[in-house]
Amino acid sequence: MAEESESKQSAVESMMEKISEKIHGHDSSSDSDSDHEKPGSASTVQSKIFRLFGRERPVHHVFGGGKPADVFLWRNKKISAGVLGVATAIWVLFELIEYHLLTLICHISILCLALLFLWSNAHTFIHKTPPRIPEVRLPEEPFIQVASALIIEFNRALKLLRDIASGRNLKEFLTVIAACWVLSIVGSWCHFLTLFYITFVLLHTVPVLYEKYEDKVDPFAEKATIEIKKQYAVFDAKVLSKIPKGPLKTKKV
């Protein structure tokens, strides 16, 4: 009888161990499944986050990811501060002091040529070696690349203006008209150099601030975008939809 009771107890203990193993195995599998699901859910949440201008890449990649992006985003503070300082000095020189470009070039040329000429002729009296003036040649490839890039962008702008003028997209037409009107008002307030300097300063301040506070700016931009779309839908329903449009010509097959 004692042996039978011991065998029954061992059988019960083995059954309890198997049940506990199954329970622990199910819990670990569920934990692993939840761990696998968490990164996926986080990635889906990140993909659904609204980004300004619909961008999917970091701000540094949007600016090209090269040295200009490093300058605009202050990756090297000395270079960025130097570029901004030179631009500020040029603006102060030409806008505030009202110095003319041709006059500045001539004065710099006179000063440099006079110093080099005097040094070249006076080296025998001051017992110093004459200055070594290097031969300067500008490479052709950078200028060709810049010219080709400008031509491509100029042709793209002409094509866009042609499409707008042909009446294919009323939204783009109103956008261009509003932009030109705003630029004409801003142009009446200040000179072109001041406008260029303001744009240059904004390029050196707004992107780096946006990169730093993008998590706070993007939700506000999302709300503003939704509100603008609502107002445009109302304007489209009340005004744009009532504008008569000419009949579309059937295309010949």
Side-chain angles (χ1 to χ4, degrees):
M1 294 294 289
E3 293 179 354
E4 289 180 357
S5 62
E6 288 178 356
S7 63
K8 287 181 180 179
Q9 288 178 358
S10 63
V12 170
E13 289 177 356
S14 63
M15 289 292 292
M16 293 295 292
E17 289 177 357
K18 290 181 180 180
I19 291 170
S20 62
E21 288 177 357
K22 287 183 179 180
I23 292 172
H24 288 299
H26 179 70
D27 292 338
S28 63
S29 64
S30 62
D31 292 337
S32 63
D33 292 337
S34 63
D35 291 337
H36 286 298
E37 288 175 358
K38 284 180 181 178
S41 61
S43 63
T44 54
V45 169
Q46 287 180 356
S47 63
K48 292 180 181 178
I49 294 176
F50 177 85
R51 293 300 181 188
L52 196 62
F53 303 116
R55 64 179 183 86
E56 297 179 356
R57 299 179 298 170
V59 181
H60 190 268
H61 290 176
V62 172
F63 279 92
K67 291 182 179 180
D70 294 338
V71 173
F72 288 135
L73 297 177
W74 293 76
R75 293 292 189 266
N76 192 333
K77 295 182 179 180
K78 292 182 179 179
I79 296 176
S80 300
V83 171
L84 190 59
V86 170
T88 304
I90 292 173
W91 177 74
V92 170
L93 191 65
F94 291 111
E95 191 68 21
L96 297 182
I97 304 178
E98 296 183 354
Y99 212 74
H100 298 287
L101 179 62
L102 183 60
T103 306
L104 178 65
I105 293 174
C106 292
H107 286 175
I108 292 175
S109 300
I110 291 170
L111 181 62
C112 293
L113 290 175
L115 290 175
L116 290 174
F117 181 81
L118 292 175
W119 190 4
S120 300
N121 291 314
H123 70 279
T124 55
F125 300 100
I126 59 178
H127 302 288
K128 288 187 177 181
T129 58
R132 295 179 181 178
I133 302 173
E135 185 178 357
V136 179
R137 289 185 181 181
L138 296 176
E140 296 181 359
E141 292 183 359
F143 293 95
I144 294 173
Q145 291 176 358
V146 171
S148 61
L150 290 176
I151 290 172
I152 291 171
E153 295 298 329
F154 188 71
N155 290 331
R156 188 180 299 173
L158 289 177
K159 184 179 181 300
L160 178 63
L161 293 175
R162 181 177 177 276
D163 294 338
I164 293 171
S166 61
R168 297 178 183 177
N169 195 331
L170 184 60
K171 183 178 179 180
E172 290 182 354
F173 171 75
L174 294 176
T175 303
V176 172
I177 293 298
C180 291
W181 180 66
V182 171
L183 286 176
S184 66
I185 294 174
V186 174
S188 63
W189 293 344
C190 57
H191 295 92
F192 176 76
L193 183 61
T194 303
L195 182 61
F196 181 79
Y197 175 69
I198 292 172
T199 306
F200 192 80
V201 172
L202 289 176
L203 285 174
H204 277 77
T205 53
V206 174
V208 66
L209 292 175
Y210 171 71
E211 187 183 34
K212 187 176 181 180
Y213 301 104
E214 61 180 345
D215 294 333
K216 297 179 181 179
V217 174
D218 287 336
F220 179 76
E222 183 180 9
K223 294 178 182 178
T225 303
I226 293 171
E227 187 64 27
I228 290 171
K229 287 182 179 180
K230 288 181 181 179
Q231 297 299 327
Y232 178 77
V234 173
F235 180 72
D236 188 13
K238 291 183 178 180
V239 179
L240 299 182
S241 60
K242 297 180 181 180
I243 297 176
K245 297 180 180 180
L248 296 175
K249 296 182 179 179
T250 57
K251 295 183 179 180
K252 295 181 180 180
V253 180

